Amino acid sequence: MKSKILATLIISLGLGFGAGTAYAESVTIGTPITDTECDAIGEDVNPSLSKGVHAAFKCDNAKNLITVGACHENGRKKVEKIPCAIIGEWGGEVKWNGTCANADDTVDTTVDIGKGYIGSNAGGSVAGAALDAACSDDSVDDLTPDVS
């Protein structure tokens, strides 16, 4: 079941995974991620990213939790309102794709640097999210939801 959730997130975000414990890690093409690094994946994963895609993950083995983020260097770059969506629930809190109070809210991108996508294996949706800087390994690490 965990492998199916992981595969769904990979397909939905167009990325492979990396692993770690409670910190973001950039995904590196050609470097296998083992289930000993992140128990929640259940089996080894070989990342595959399209050209220009940056991806990251956070993993907390104690919570059996993975969060992921991805963006594309040439992705959508316009000021827009991103619909709020729940990306999961952990730590006793519902987690949103931005500073949202309910699904009727929006996340406003204030500059034309683009957006990425985030998700988790804790229920919810894969959802758009505003980037704080142009798509890169660093900005996607910042975009990826904390597992705390």
Side-chain angles (χ1 to χ4, degrees):
M1 181 66 169
K2 292 176 196 168
S3 296
K4 289 180 183 178
I5 292 169
L6 177 63
T8 301
L9 285 170
I10 291 169
I11 292 166
S12 298
L13 294 174
L15 56 96
F17 269 87
T21 300
Y23 64 91
E25 184 74 34
S26 295
V27 174
T28 305
I29 296 171
T31 303
I33 293 90
T34 67
D35 59 353
T36 57
E37 295 172 308
C38 183
D39 293 342
I41 63 173
E43 61 189 54
D44 294 357
V45 177
N46 289 305
S48 176
L49 301 175
S50 299
K51 183 178 179 180
V53 172
H54 296 270
F57 71 93
K58 294 181 183 178
C59 179
D60 188 316
N61 289 329
K63 294 178 185 172
N64 195 31
L65 175 64
I66 304 168
T67 61
V68 295
C71 60
H72 194 286
E73 293 169 0
N74 296 319
R76 176 178 256 167
K77 293 181 175 78
K78 69 176 192 173
V79 176
E80 65 179 301
K81 293 182 180 295
I82 301 170
C84 287
I86 295 171
I87 61 161
E89 185 174 340
W90 61 90
E93 294 180 26
V94 171
K95 304 296 182 174
W96 295 87
N97 60 327
T99 54
C100 305
N102 62 63
D104 294 330
D105 291 343
T106 58
V107 179
D108 297 330
T109 59
T110 56
V111 294
D112 58 353
I113 54 175
K115 71 177 182 180
Y117 291 88
I118 56 176
S120 76
N121 68 335
S125 308
V126 173
L131 289 167
D132 291 331
C135 181
S136 68
D137 286 344
D138 289 337
S139 66
V140 81
D141 283 349
D142 292 341
L143 180 72
T144 305
D146 288 327
V147 292
S148 57

